[in-house]
Amino acid sequence: MYISAQLRKTSIAEYLLYMWQVEDTIRAFGCSLAAIQRDYIAKFDYTDEQKEELTDWFGNLIRMMNSEGKREKGHLQINMVTMQQLCELHQQLLDSTKYPFYSSEYYKVLPYIVELRRRGANNDEHEVETCMNALYGTMMLRLRKQEISTNTAHAVKEITTLIGMLSDYYLKDKEEPLEF
């Protein structure tokens, strides 16, 4: 909760990746608030009040996951709305002639997107979601201390640059709407 609030202000892409990880953490605890409280929240060096706030936050997320049918897989609607906003901004940036550096980076990343879609099962997802899924998958591999090939590492570096730019534009657009 505390991390997500900070990330939402500083990097919307990192916020989404974090929230996806929270969704997976909830699933790992069987969507049980009691288990999360006992085996996860209790481990943090927080005050009792902070632990109570965190418990409420996880409880709300669990209720949303249950009501949206996301206990096994998928992302919460609140996260999908944010993803949709990123996708829309991505398209606006590409359609505009005012953001040539973004377009240039996109065309550097496009072959990786095509390759990821060729390998993946979901070809209907938006390009930004493909990139975010690649970043999340790589993050999970690193957490498991699994090897990442040189080619994958290079692709992830380029994708990170594009998503970082998109995230920066997202925050700028929220502060003062961008001109397209």
Side-chain angles (χ1 to χ4, degrees):
M1 177 180 98
Y2 303 111
I3 295 169
S4 70
Q6 184 60 36
L7 288 174
R8 188 154 182 94
K9 294 176 192 171
T10 58
S11 173
I12 199 66
E14 288 181 41
Y15 164 80
L16 272 178
L17 293 172
Y18 177 77
M19 289 305 297
W20 289 0
Q21 188 176 18
V22 167
E23 292 168 344
D24 282 345
T25 299
I26 290 170
R27 290 183 188 108
F29 284 99
C31 296
S32 166
L33 184 57
I36 291 170
Q37 251 182 315
R38 181 186 64 244
D39 299 327
Y40 186 71
I41 295 172
K43 308 254 189 262
F44 291 104
D45 187 27
Y46 288 154
T47 66
D48 287 343
E49 183 180 326
Q50 289 173 315
K51 287 180 181 179
E52 190 175 312
E53 288 174 352
L54 198 55
T55 299
D56 288 345
W57 185 69
F58 272 103
N60 287 331
L61 291 173
I62 291 168
R63 277 189 286 286
M64 284 188 270
M65 289 175 76
N66 286 329
S67 69
E68 294 177 21
K70 305 296 183 185
R71 288 180 63 92
E72 301 295 322
K73 64 179 181 171
H75 300 298
L76 289 169
Q77 189 61 35
I78 56 171
N79 296 328
M80 293 308 296
V81 167
T82 302
M83 176 61 73
Q84 184 60 38
Q85 291 171 343
L86 279 175
C87 294
E88 289 169 5
L89 178 60
H90 167 77
Q91 197 57 54
Q92 289 173 314
L93 291 167
L94 290 179
D95 290 345
S96 175
T97 58
K98 295 182 178 183
Y99 304 95
F101 293 113
Y102 185 81
S103 294
S104 174
E105 187 59 34
Y106 166 74
Y107 286 109
K108 284 171 62 176
V109 171
L110 186 57
Y112 302 119
I113 295 170
V114 170
E115 180 63 18
L116 287 166
R117 285 183 163 182
R118 188 184 66 75
R119 292 181 184 186
N122 188 357
N123 291 330
D124 295 334
E125 69 187 10
H126 190 276
E127 294 169 326
V128 173
E129 193 168 356
T130 299
C131 291
M132 292 293 290
N133 282 326
L135 295 177
Y136 188 74
T138 303
M139 183 176 78
M140 292 293 102
L141 289 173
R142 287 183 175 140
L143 285 172
R144 294 181 192 128
K145 300 196 184 317
Q146 292 180 319
E147 189 174 326
I148 298 166
S149 72
T150 305
N151 289 344
T152 299
H154 179 71
V156 166
K157 182 178 177 197
E158 292 296 335
I159 290 169
T160 300
T161 300
L162 177 70
I163 295 299
M165 291 174 77
L166 180 59
S167 188
D168 289 346
Y169 282 124
Y170 179 91
L171 293 176
K172 287 177 185 172
D173 190 49
K174 292 298 176 195
E175 289 173 11
E176 184 175 327
L178 298 174
E179 292 182 24
F180 299 102

